[in-house]
Amino acid sequence: MAQLWGGRFTKATDQLVYDFNASIRFDRRLFEQDVKGSLAHAAMLAKQGILTKEEKEAISEGLQGILEDVKAGRLAIDETQEDIHSFVEAALIERIGEAGKKLHTGRSRNDQVALDMRMYTRDRLLETDRLLKELLTTILHTMEENLDTYMPGFTHLQKAQPTTLAHHYGAYFEMLKRDRGRLKDIYRRMNECPLGAGALAGTTYPLDREYTASLLGFDRVTCNSMDSVSDRDYLIEYLSALSMIMMHLSRFSEEIILWNSNEYQFVEIDDAYSTGSSIMPQKKNPDIAELVRGKTGRVYGALMSLLTTMKGIPLAYNKDMQEDKEVAFDAMDTVRNCLLLFNGMLQTMKFRPERMAESAMKGFTNATDAADYLVGKGVPFRDAHGIIGRLVLYCMEKNTSIDGLSLEELKGICDKFEEDIYDAVSLKACVERRLTTGAPGSGAMEEEIRRSREYLEKD
Ligand code: ARG
């Protein structure tokens, strides 16, 4: 048991209370942020004449030494300390004596933890952005290679209209691109420094908050000191962005699981990203995709947990807020692992274009195009819709496709059919005619790919 307070207490803390209250077990991962924040704080105190140059130098050297020693494994983070802030301060005092006791001048653990958590979150957010960019690069590569890999597009999980693998992947490109946009917005809003807010009401020392903020790479300082110590909005926003990323990865996973199934066989997940069954020798299971889908709930859970923790907290700092850490750290780690593994799975996954095309051909995905063909021959669309409906029924009875029928059979249903119907309903023609912006025709897709490439190059 080691703590930074105790002067006004006449009894020692009960061990169970101490353990329940302590956070070092999980906030130890804020170690680097805590030391860097303290270095900046000490530099600012010296600049303002609150610490002497000698005191500041002793503190800086001590903190640098602690940072290096912990990183090199020469100094262990002492888990009998209450939290990481107490550990760093105690280690400093042990190393440099009296001057170490001055570091906490004009500072409270409330603005200190607000700073550490913000700095940590800022780093993790940039990491998420980088991983998203890597995944987008993989997706774009597949798009470029598969402009004419035809496949069925679905609605209600029923085959609807033909599209291409490039087009399908393009949808995920857009989702993850928006995810990056959200991260950028959050970063812009959150990149302000709370240090100097003190416990809640600022401090009487003449601190230069702007200076500390600039040393730590912040764009500006936070405004109201009560808000500064009790704000976790940025973390909730980040967890919300992470939840959205997981929602997208989960949808993508669900599709890959379907595509990899015995029924679809559109793709084959690489052996390195699959697992077997202990009893059924034939099995190769898409566990990674399933786990990504499964872990989505856990990230949503972190978001709900923090929203709920924060909803009843009066201003300013309350200990409830310590509960932000474990769930947020878990969500950050989960999303990092999911992004890494998902990218690896996509990079090694094999496509089976012949199966995709066959599925599109067999599923009457060209029915709309067949109706459009009749419209071209002067039949009103509503009538054409009915005619093709009957045609599909006829094909189903004969177990064939529209282009599997003879011209005679087609004319038996509508005399407007001519020899050119076969070209009109070929998969290639159906896709290539779709040229509106955002559509799967290669003319439109080439433009989409060009824009996407440009986006990745500049952002
Ligand atoms: N471990 C605490 C947290 O994570 C640090 C802040 C402590 N402040 C306090 N007033 N007890 O929130």
Side-chain angles (χ1 to χ4, degrees), residues 57-125:
E57 255 145 40
I59 290 175
S60 296
E61 237 171 74
L63 287 171
Q64 287 290 2
I66 293 168
L67 183 61
E68 280 156 28
D69 288 354
V70 168
K71 277 172 124 180
R74 288 188 294 268
L75 175 65
I77 293 180
D78 172 11
E79 292 212 358
T80 62
Q81 292 288 345
E82 184 185 333
D83 54 28
I84 193 64
H85 327 295
S86 316
F87 164 72
V88 172
E89 197 176 318
L92 182 69
I93 294 170
E94 198 183 303
R95 285 189 178 202
I96 68 164
E98 285 306 298
K101 295 186 189 163
K102 296 195 172 178
L103 170 64
H104 210 53
T105 313
R107 189 175 72 170
S108 154
R109 271 188 299 165
N110 296 350
D111 59 346
Q112 192 177 354
V113 76
L115 172 73
D116 292 2
M117 198 59 188
R118 219 176 257 257
M119 283 175 37
Y120 183 82
T121 304
R122 185 172 70 166
D123 288 350
R124 297 301 301 264
L125 185 145

Side-chain angles (χ1 to χ4, degrees), residues 248-315:
H248 293 147
L249 291 187
S250 181
R251 293 182 74 175
F252 208 163
S253 294
E254 168 67 14
E255 297 214 282
I256 288 169
I257 292 162
L258 284 172
W259 293 352
N260 187 65
S261 68
N262 301 136
E263 279 65 30
Y264 280 70
Q265 294 176 26
F266 285 6
V267 300
E268 196 184 333
I269 299 176
D270 195 72
D271 279 4
Y273 286 85
S274 309
T275 53
S277 155
S278 60
I279 175 171
M280 298 165 282
Q282 84 282 13
K283 295 268 268 177
K284 199 177 123 181
N285 297 328
D287 289 33
I288 298 307
E290 288 170 10
L291 276 171
V292 170
R293 188 177 60 185
K295 285 177 191 292
T296 303
R298 175 168 175 161
V299 177
Y300 291 2
L303 171 64
M304 285 308 133
S305 168
L306 189 55
L307 277 170
T308 312
T309 297
M310 295 304 293
K311 81 186 243 307
I313 304 188
L315 291 176

Side-chain angles (χ1 to χ4, degrees), residues 5 21-24 26-27 30 82-85 108-114 232 317-325:
W5 39 270
N21 189 50
S23 54
I24 194 151
F26 46 86
D27 67 18
L30 301 176
E82 184 185 333
D83 54 28
I84 193 64
H85 327 295
S108 154
R109 271 188 299 165
N110 296 350
D111 59 346
Q112 192 177 354
V113 76
R232 295 295 181 273
Y317 179 84
N318 292 259
K319 200 57 173 271
D320 319 40
M321 289 163 73
Q322 179 167 288
E323 284 298 303
D324 61 352
K325 291 177 195 64

